[in-house]
Amino acid sequence: MQHTTVTYDGSFDGFLTTVFEIYERRLSHVIIKSELQFESELFGIHEHIITDDNKSKRVFDGLKKRIGAKGCSILYYSFLSELIGIENTMLSVIAYTFKSQKNIISDYSNPDVLQLSKVVKKVGREKHRMEAFVRFQQTKDNIYFANIEPDFNVLPLIKSHFTKRYADQKWIIYDLKRKYGLFYNLESTEIITIDFNLNHSKKDWFTNDERTYETLWKDYFESTNIEERINTKLHVRHVPKRYWKYLSEKQP
């Protein structure tokens, strides 16, 4: 049977608007894709859904009544995983939600609910690691800057943590992979995009004090490491190698 591919703008509100339209128009055999992932198909029907905040809110409010704040959080974390096809797994869980008379978000006998629970754990781990491993460097504009490239789109999840922890200084955390960042200006934290070249030498961006601090931190790390007691396997388990690029003490 011919399917309909429905695309949206890649935002969570766009996804919820798409869910609204699927139910409102009683669409069946639907595949949801972000417009960033969509490639024209020879066969099948394609429709693009325009994000509508009112429709998005109606779906979100309906879900919150049935699966609570925890359930909505699970859907949001799953969405931020950006895994191929995750929208369709979420749609199945949403359909199960609206069919059931009870809260199904912990019904792991359902394969789609179980799948989302596994995805959420992975996203949650990435969130906590970013909160632990982000290292700021002071720029010549007196803004503390950190760049990250997480596996999942966790910037929205770490916003609150860094806003509370570093409320006395201006800072930017920039996701190089997704080309957007968070900027805290001492009053609020906003989403930004920057058109700049990070391949410049550090001396073009950062203060001399910052480079001195990085050297001191590396020296301290090396002096406290007793070679005979190094447990490489345990160390890599707690600090996977893909996070070493964020740590001053790991730089050559």
Side-chain angles (χ1 to χ4, degrees), residues 149-161:
E149 296 178 83
D151 288 348
F152 309 118
N153 182 18
V154 296
L155 266 186
L157 304 179
I158 65 176
K159 174 182 174 181
S160 177
H161 170 84

Side-chain angles (χ1 to χ4, degrees), residues 214-226:
E214 183 176 318
T215 301
L216 288 172
W217 178 251
K218 285 171 62 180
D219 290 345
Y220 168 78
F221 179 78
E222 290 171 3
S223 69
T224 55
N225 259 316
I226 302 173

Side-chain angles (χ1 to χ4, degrees), residues 66-104:
R66 291 175 176 266
I67 56 176
K70 177 186 175 182
C72 290
S73 178
I74 287 172
L75 289 173
Y76 187 52
Y77 271 56
S78 299
F79 177 80
L80 293 176
S81 74
E82 300 178 328
L83 296 173
I84 301 296
I86 193 66
E87 297 97 336
N88 301 292
T89 305
M90 292 169 64
L91 180 62
S92 295
V93 171
I94 290 171
Y96 184 32
T97 296
F98 287 136
K99 285 178 183 175
S100 179
Q101 299 299 315
K102 61 180 182 178
N103 188 334
I104 56 83

Side-chain angles (χ1 to χ4, degrees), residues 53 70 72 77 97 101 115 134 149 160 172 189 196 207 221 229 239 243 251:
D53 290 341
K70 177 186 175 182
C72 290
Y77 271 56
T97 296
Q101 299 299 315
Q115 177 63 20
V134 163
E149 296 178 83
S160 177
I172 293 173
T189 306
F196 63 159
T207 64
F221 179 78
R229 294 184 181 177
V239 188
Y243 297 104
Q251 303 314 306

Side-chain angles (χ1 to χ4, degrees), residues 9-27:
D9 63 6
S11 69
F12 190 57
D13 283 328
F15 167 74
L16 293 178
T17 302
T18 302
V19 172
F20 180 94
E21 292 291 344
I22 289 171
Y23 275 85
E24 178 76 6
R25 293 152 58 181
R26 298 182 181 178
L27 300 177

Side-chain angles (χ1 to χ4, degrees), residues 16-71:
L16 293 178
T17 302
T18 302
V19 172
F20 180 94
E21 292 291 344
I22 289 171
Y23 275 85
E24 178 76 6
R25 293 152 58 181
R26 298 182 181 178
L27 300 177
S28 59
H29 306 289
V30 171
I31 297 175
I32 305 176
K33 289 185 179 181
S34 163
E35 62 183 355
L36 302 176
Q37 299 173 344
F38 177 69
E39 295 180 3
S40 248
E41 301 172 343
L42 273 175
F43 305 101
I45 303 168
H46 169 229
E47 284 198 45
H48 183 71
I49 303 298
I50 304 298
T51 299
D52 184 308
D53 290 341
N54 291 325
K55 293 176 180 178
S56 169
K57 186 177 185 303
R58 285 177 62 182
V59 173
F60 186 83
D61 289 345
L63 287 168
K64 193 171 182 179
K65 286 179 182 178
R66 291 175 176 266
I67 56 176
K70 177 186 175 182

Side-chain angles (χ1 to χ4, degrees), residues 123-234:
V123 176
R125 280 196 295 268
E126 188 78 337
K127 169 187 177 290
H128 291 307
R129 282 169 173 166
M130 286 297 106
E131 290 172 346
F133 299 145
V134 163
R135 296 288 188 270
F136 288 101
Q137 292 180 288
Q138 187 178 14
T139 69
K140 292 180 178 179
D141 293 328
N142 202 32
I143 296 173
Y144 289 84
F145 178 86
N147 59 274
I148 61 175
E149 296 178 83
D151 288 348
F152 309 118
N153 182 18
V154 296
L155 266 186
L157 304 179
I158 65 176
K159 174 182 174 181
S160 177
H161 170 84
F162 284 99
T163 299
K164 292 176 182 176
R165 186 169 183 181
Y166 299 102
D168 60 342
Q169 61 195 40
K170 292 182 180 180
W171 51 260
I172 293 173
I173 303 176
Y174 206 81
D175 187 335
L176 299 178
K177 185 176 180 180
R178 295 164 185 86
K179 297 182 173 60
Y180 84 102
L182 300 174
F183 172 51
Y184 176 69
N185 60 13
L186 299 181
E187 294 181 0
S188 61
T189 306
E190 302 172 352
I191 293 175
I192 61 167
T193 58
I194 305 176
D195 183 15
F196 63 159
N197 184 359
L198 282 176
N199 293 322
H200 284 302
S201 168
K202 281 190 175 182
K203 67 182 180 181
D204 297 329
W205 293 96
F206 302 109
T207 64
N208 290 328
D209 288 344
E210 180 58 45
R211 294 196 298 279
T212 300
Y213 170 79
E214 183 176 318
T215 301
L216 288 172
W217 178 251
K218 285 171 62 180
D219 290 345
Y220 168 78
F221 179 78
E222 290 171 3
S223 69
T224 55
N225 259 316
I226 302 173
E227 190 170 348
E228 291 78 9
R229 294 184 181 177
I230 291 176
N231 185 333
T232 303
K233 287 184 179 179
L234 181 62

